[in-house]
Amino acid sequence: MTIILTPYWSNGVQRLKIAESDKPKHGLMPPSLRDDIHALRCLEQLRSKDKNIEKYIYLSGLKHHDPPMFYKLCLENMPEFTPIIYTPTVGDACLQYSHIYRRPEGLFISIKDKGNIRNVLKNWPKIDEARISVVTDGSRILGLGDLGVNGMPISIGKLSLYVAGAGIRPSSTIPICLDLGTSNEGFLNDPLYLGLRQKRISDKEMTEFMDEFMHEMSVTFPKLLVQFEDFSTDHAFTYLDRYRNKYSVFNDDIQGTGAVVLSGFINAATLSSEASGRPLTDHHILFFGAGSAGVGVAMQLMSFFTLNGLSEEDARKRIWLVDSQGLVYNSRGRLAEHKKYFSRDDYQGPPITNLVDIVSYVKPTALLGLSTIGGAFTPQVIQLMAQLNPRPIIFPLSNPVRLSECSFKDAVQYTNGTVLFASGSPFPEQVYKNEILYPGQGNNMYIFPGLGLGSILARATSVTDSMVEASSLGLASSLTKEERMQGLLYPRIERIRDISAHIAKEVIRAAQKADVDRSVNCRSMDDTCLISYIKRKMWIP
């Protein structure tokens, strides 16, 4: 019999105890239950469901009862599982959360806990193991609006991808939903709604709450990396700026989305410039959507130009924003604070609101959508992009699929197969003139698992811009020769563990250069040893 000993601390002394076995004792399982056959049984049960939300519910139960089997199947069937456990199905799971709720998972901290947050955090059963938390307040879930406490599946889903994609131990993760009320009348009137039945609190009260929350998180979980997810636009920028230099924290909507888009854009711009003969610094990028994600991506894409030799000011001039009122420019009138940096000072005419007119004026080489307006990239817009560019770059990045600005099929059809395409949600491949064309998916799961793993292993005191940029460059350079020959902008998701290890290595090196790392051991390793070290640290189900 194999005896497993696990370490624990008692009165300042490390001791060993016999670990309890997860396997039921003899007679409590069928005699022929084998893991390899049971994996096939689980897949059969999953695929028997005819609705994705039912598949989501089944996989949630499997993860609860048998985490190793859930993650084993997830790694072996990543293209099939990812759309179920995260986008686009997680959007439906959030909308229906209070109706499909089965069991508690994660921490719920409400405004009623203000002044007592430390005691709530201490109720987490695995304090010493905590390494990463995804925190949402449910105020802007995907493109679905204010969902209140129903936003919890976002935190749960993201952490599942951290485990599957980067090998972070399930016991090291903490999904957290902050219940600060909701302005969604439908939920407030729903008898099954699981959150507080009150309107959202004021900004002043929220900031007081967030200050207490972040301080108590750092005290209770001193080794924790915090990822903010799906806060409303203004709050996303406010709290990232407020805490990024004080705690180990980043915002995936602003920084993660920007990093994954930058990576795909680097590869797309290279192919586009090869076709047009124009230099890389001559690209013009038009953003349709100027919320936290849109502006965050725009900030990140400035790196593309500065890395190619332009000044920050010249890089800024290569980017245009479009919001609900049309082209964003100074003389248009009052602007939200986060839009001012990219507001144009070289246009003083009347407002331009029609996207076709805006594309005709700007003449972009790249059109990026982060508006959550389904079908906004009409055939006329797509055809105009193809007229302006031999290989137009079109990235409809809004989630879920029904909110995507255009489909891959339309992009291929109306550009005669010349489009360089990446979306936020998955689209099927297309056959055009007997050639198989593959859509890119600018999914944040390419970036955040490796960024999080690298930050944790480096024991980074903060997540710097250089670390985020390093994750993006690491992803861009991770394509194999075969993937590049197929014209892919992103690597195959089946290789996510290798991709995450490569990104984690780049993030650790960036943390060392920024002098925010506390892991002395990593500094003495060369790149080969560091990659081996990272892979050894990955949890394997």
Side-chain angles (χ1 to χ4, degrees), residues 156-217:
I156 294 169
K158 269 280 167 73
L159 288 169
S160 294
L161 295 180
Y162 268 111
V163 177
I168 292 173
R169 291 183 177 277
S171 58
S172 298
T173 66
I174 314 178
I176 296 181
C177 186
L178 306 177
D179 188 359
L180 307 178
T182 180
S183 299
N184 190 312
E185 292 291 342
F187 292 149
L188 291 175
N189 295 323
D190 182 354
L192 296 183
Y193 179 59
L194 290 164
L196 295 176
R197 297 181 187 278
Q198 68 175 59
K199 296 284 188 179
R200 282 203 171 268
I201 60 177
S202 68
D203 287 354
K204 180 178 181 296
E205 192 173 8
M206 181 174 179
T207 297
E208 293 173 355
F209 175 91
M210 290 299 296
D211 284 348
E212 179 188 351
F213 170 73
M214 290 302 296
H215 171 71
E216 298 301 346
M217 286 279 280

Side-chain angles (χ1 to χ4, degrees), residues 74-242:
C74 188
L75 277 170
E76 293 175 353
N77 303 274
M78 191 66 75
E80 180 181 358
F81 274 51
T82 300
I84 299 173
I85 64 177
Y86 203 61
T87 56
T89 307
V90 73
D92 292 332
C94 288
L95 289 171
Q96 301 181 51
Y97 179 65
S98 291
H99 289 251
I100 64 173
Y101 175 83
R102 297 304 200 264
R103 65 191 68 81
E105 186 174 356
L107 270 174
F108 297 88
I109 304 172
S110 80
I111 187 61
K112 305 293 186 184
D113 297 314
K114 189 168 176 281
N116 190 46
I117 293 176
R118 178 178 298 188
N119 291 328
V120 178
L121 294 177
K122 285 184 176 179
N123 288 331
W124 187 248
K126 298 179 180 179
I127 290 178
D128 293 336
E129 296 181 49
R131 293 296 181 272
I132 188 163
S133 176
V134 174
V135 179
T136 186
D137 72 340
S139 58
R140 190 196 58 82
I141 298 297
L142 301 174
L144 305 172
D146 182 354
L147 302 190
V149 81
N150 286 344
M152 177 57 102
I154 286 289
S155 296
I156 294 169
K158 269 280 167 73
L159 288 169
S160 294
L161 295 180
Y162 268 111
V163 177
I168 292 173
R169 291 183 177 277
S171 58
S172 298
T173 66
I174 314 178
I176 296 181
C177 186
L178 306 177
D179 188 359
L180 307 178
T182 180
S183 299
N184 190 312
E185 292 291 342
F187 292 149
L188 291 175
N189 295 323
D190 182 354
L192 296 183
Y193 179 59
L194 290 164
L196 295 176
R197 297 181 187 278
Q198 68 175 59
K199 296 284 188 179
R200 282 203 171 268
I201 60 177
S202 68
D203 287 354
K204 180 178 181 296
E205 192 173 8
M206 181 174 179
T207 297
E208 293 173 355
F209 175 91
M210 290 299 296
D211 284 348
E212 179 188 351
F213 170 73
M214 290 302 296
H215 171 71
E216 298 301 346
M217 286 279 280
S218 69
V219 171
T220 308
F221 310 110
K223 297 180 180 179
L224 194 72
L225 169 69
V226 175
Q227 175 189 315
F228 287 148
E229 187 74 22
D230 284 349
F231 281 70
S232 64
T233 297
D234 290 343
H235 291 153
F237 283 101
T238 296
Y239 295 127
L240 177 62
D241 291 341
R242 190 175 183 88

Side-chain angles (χ1 to χ4, degrees), residues 255-296:
Q255 296 165 292
T257 303
V260 77
V261 176
L262 172 60
S263 176
F265 186 81
I266 289 171
N267 293 328
T270 302
L271 295 173
S272 180
S273 287
E274 288 174 357
S276 68
R278 298 165 66 176
L280 291 173
T281 52
D282 200 32
H283 281 282
H284 291 177
I285 309 173
L286 179 64
F287 282 87
F288 185 70
S292 61
V295 175

Side-chain angles (χ1 to χ4, degrees), residues 290-457:
S292 61
V295 175
V297 173
M299 293 295 294
Q300 197 68 57
L301 258 61
M302 284 184 61
S303 298
F304 171 79
F305 297 107
T306 56
L307 288 168
N308 282 287
L310 292 188
S311 66
E312 181 178 324
E313 180 60 21
D314 286 337
R316 185 177 67 87
K317 291 179 179 177
R318 300 296 192 276
I319 294 172
W320 285 257
L321 296 183
V322 178
D323 63 10
S324 59
Q325 299 177 54
L327 185 69
V328 176
Y329 61 99
N330 290 351
S331 60
R332 193 183 77 178
R334 185 178 179 183
L335 292 171
E337 194 65 34
H338 67 278
K339 300 178 186 179
K340 291 180 179 179
Y341 182 77
F342 290 106
S343 180
R344 306 298 298 190
D345 58 8
D346 54 2
Y347 179 80
Q348 285 83 35
I352 315 179
T353 57
N354 184 279
L355 186 55
V356 172
D357 294 337
I358 295 171
V359 171
S360 297
Y361 170 72
V362 175
K363 294 180 173 56
T365 58
L367 176 61
L368 276 65
L370 296 109
S371 66
T372 66
I373 300 176
F377 295 170
T378 62
Q380 293 85 356
V381 170
I382 299 171
Q383 288 169 342
L384 181 55
M385 286 293 295
Q387 292 171 18
L388 294 169
N389 305 281
R391 297 211 67 185
I393 300 170
I394 299 178
F395 284 12
L397 298 168
S398 294
N399 288 314
V401 171
R402 63 184 177 83
L403 300 180
S404 183
E405 287 77 9
C406 72
S407 67
F408 184 47
K409 180 180 180 180
D410 285 349
V412 170
Q413 178 182 344
Y414 295 116
T415 63
N416 297 317
T418 62
V419 69
L420 294 161
F421 181 96
S423 58
S425 293
F427 283 101
E429 59 197 35
Q430 297 292 315
V431 177
Y432 184 81
K433 292 184 178 179
N434 298 320
E435 181 182 0
I436 300 177
L437 302 180
Y438 299 94
Q441 188 185 352
N443 195 315
N444 290 25
M445 77 163 292
Y446 278 117
I447 288 288
F448 65 77
L451 176 58
L453 179 62
S455 301
I456 292 169
L457 294 181

Side-chain angles (χ1 to χ4, degrees), residues 491-511:
R492 299 285 186 189
I493 199 67
E494 293 90 337
R495 299 196 299 109
I496 187 62
R497 284 279 177 110
D498 288 335
I499 297 165
S500 294
H502 180 66
I503 290 174
K505 186 258 292 182
E506 297 298 322
V507 168
I508 291 170
R509 293 299 187 221

